[in-house]
Amino acid sequence: MMSAPNALTDLQASPLLFVMGATGNMGGEIARQLLTAGARVRVGVRSPERVAESGAFAGADLARFDASDASTLEALDGVQRMFLLWPPGTNVTEDVLPIIAAARKRGVQQIVFLSILGAERVRIVPHRRVEQALEASGLDWVFLRASYFMQNLSGVHRDDLRVRREIFLPAGQGRTSFVDVRDVAAVGAKALMEGHRNCAYNLTGGAALTYGEAADIFSVTLGKRVHYVNPSPIRFVRVARQHGVTLSFALFMLAEYTVAKLGLAAEVSTTVAELLGRPPISLRQFAEDFREVWL
Ligand SMILES: NC(=O)c1ccc[n+]([C@@H]2O[C@H](COP(=O)([O-])OP(=O)(O)OC[C@H]3O[C@@H](n4cnc5c(N)ncnc54)[C@H](OP(=O)(O)O)[C@@H]3O)[C@@H](O)[C@H]2O)c1
């Protein structure tokens, strides 16, 4: 006779998945998608009290986790698979590589790492150093090599669109294969739940657009003319500084948009559609979904 399914045993048998950076774009989306799918999730954040107060991530185990504080790496105890990112501004050697070593020591089997499109070609980027460490770690690894996030336009560049009705970026006429964070997160959540092993996924949207074309999409969606301004590098950095952006981040963005200007951000891959069984979210859909953010 077959025994009745035991929900508690099934839950305990499912792997414990750890997500860092959950107060940010990608970690937050991955944690939410995993919880919606019924996975066992531990969320590692620098301020668990603040997250608990906000009520976010109900159903997840909350743990203190700070890449700059080795004592918090014990949050990985009992974890089988984890989502890792390089928090911008942190040091790979001091902050990220110790996480990989601690994960290995504590028996984590798989790490899904948020990387960038083209990391294998641009070896000086921090992401490639993390990838190389993972390849050598003996752990199962997955690289989410993501293109430029659409959510940059609702995040760091939101006020350019909302207040000044412009996209103010030094990307020339270069094309970018904008990808929605929700798609990258869906691939990440799938890789975690299914335990993918040793795969590098190039994750892009379905089309590569110029920022002028992106501005046209926002003009239609918002019902207000949005202009693409293509400032000189010096003007871009000066204006970013006036808006309170740190010099190092302004220069990081300048490098990123120069890559786009040179036509190196235009790769369109079919991986999102292949893995998710549906086309990637388009920039038009993204603009409609988050319309209120710019109004
Ligand atoms: N933007 C893009 O177009 C793009 C494209 C491809 C790849 N990427 C890569 O994506 C990564 C950023 O992802 P995101 O946009 O999700 O980040 P994000 O929104 O900027 O959030 C960063 C997260 O990292 C956490 N964090 C910061 N310092 C930390 C530390 N010392 N220890 C532990 N956590 C720390 C932050 O937590 P707190 O709330 O505590 O600060 C926050 O949750 C970067 O590696 C970037 O290069 C970005």
Side-chain angles (χ1 to χ4, degrees):
M1 199 174 77
M2 277 176 64
S3 57
N6 180 329
L8 187 60
T9 316
D10 288 350
L11 199 62
Q12 283 165 347
S14 70
L16 180 59
L17 311 177
F18 183 92
V19 179
M20 75 171 284
T23 54
N25 281 314
M26 190 63 71
E29 191 58 37
I30 291 191
R32 282 187 291 275
Q33 293 194 20
L34 288 173
L35 287 165
T36 302
R40 273 206 309 149
V41 181
R42 181 177 297 159
V43 165
V45 289
R46 291 197 288 181
S47 178
E49 302 78 13
R50 217 177 50 210
V51 172
E53 248 173 56
S54 75
F57 311 119
D61 186 11
L62 284 181
R64 183 179 310 283
F65 187 80
D66 185 338
S68 310
D69 178 354
S71 71
T72 65
L73 301 187
E74 65 187 24
L76 295 172
D77 278 344
V79 168
Q80 275 92 48
R81 302 175 193 161
M82 82 171 283
F83 169 70
L84 173 74
L85 56 73
W86 165 69
T90 62
N91 181 291
V92 170
T93 308
E94 289 168 15
D95 300 321
V96 183
L97 301 190
I99 298 177
I100 297 173
R104 190 161 179 262
K105 193 169 135 208
R106 288 176 159 79
V108 172
Q109 291 145 13
Q110 180 223 36
I111 295 186
V112 174
F113 172 61
L114 174 58
S115 187
I116 54 168
L117 194 64
E120 73 285 12
R121 295 190 302 269
V122 192
R123 285 159 188 268
I124 52 161
V125 291
H127 309 79
R128 183 58 197 147
R129 288 191 53 216
V130 179
E131 288 187 0
Q132 284 170 327
L134 284 168
E135 285 165 351
S137 68
L139 300 173
D140 294 341
W141 49 263
V142 173
F143 303 150
L144 307 174
R145 288 183 177 152
S147 186
Y148 181 91
F149 299 162
M150 294 177 187
Q151 277 75 359
N152 294 328
L153 299 173
S154 55
V156 64
H157 300 305
R158 183 192 62 166
D159 281 352
D160 290 342
L161 280 124
R162 188 175 67 90
V163 180
R164 295 172 282 279
R165 299 284 178 225
E166 60 188 27
I167 295 180
F168 185 89
L169 301 174
Q173 300 311 312
R175 292 184 175 273
T176 295
S177 53
F178 298 89
V179 69
D180 193 303
V181 162
R182 294 171 292 179
D183 281 343
V184 181
V187 172
K190 184 178 171 73
L192 284 163
M193 287 191 294
E194 296 176 356
H196 295 193
R197 301 178 63 189
N198 307 344
C199 321
Y201 295 133
N202 288 356
L203 303 175
T204 75
L209 306 173
T210 65
Y211 281 90
E213 289 166 347
D216 291 344
I217 288 173
F218 279 94
S219 298
V220 172
T221 308
L222 303 183
K224 297 170 193 301
R225 185 76 204 138
V226 174
H227 297 277
Y228 170 48
V229 182
N230 174 30
S232 70
I234 291 176
R235 184 162 169 237
F236 174 72
V237 172
R238 188 162 31 84
V239 171
R241 297 283 291 131
Q242 282 164 1
H243 292 154
V245 174
T246 62
L247 180 60
S248 62
F249 190 57
L251 293 174
F252 175 79
M253 287 195 289
L254 175 61
E256 202 177 11
Y257 295 116
T258 304
V259 166
K261 190 176 192 166
L262 296 173
L264 301 174
E267 174 186 337
V268 174
S269 87
T270 52
T271 313
V272 168
E274 282 159 14
L275 286 170
L276 302 183
R278 58 159 175 81
I281 297 168
S282 65
L283 189 66
R284 185 176 303 279
Q285 186 65 53
F286 162 77
E288 281 168 13
D289 291 347
F290 293 94
R291 194 167 174 270
E292 298 308 314
V293 167
W294 302 284
L295 290 178

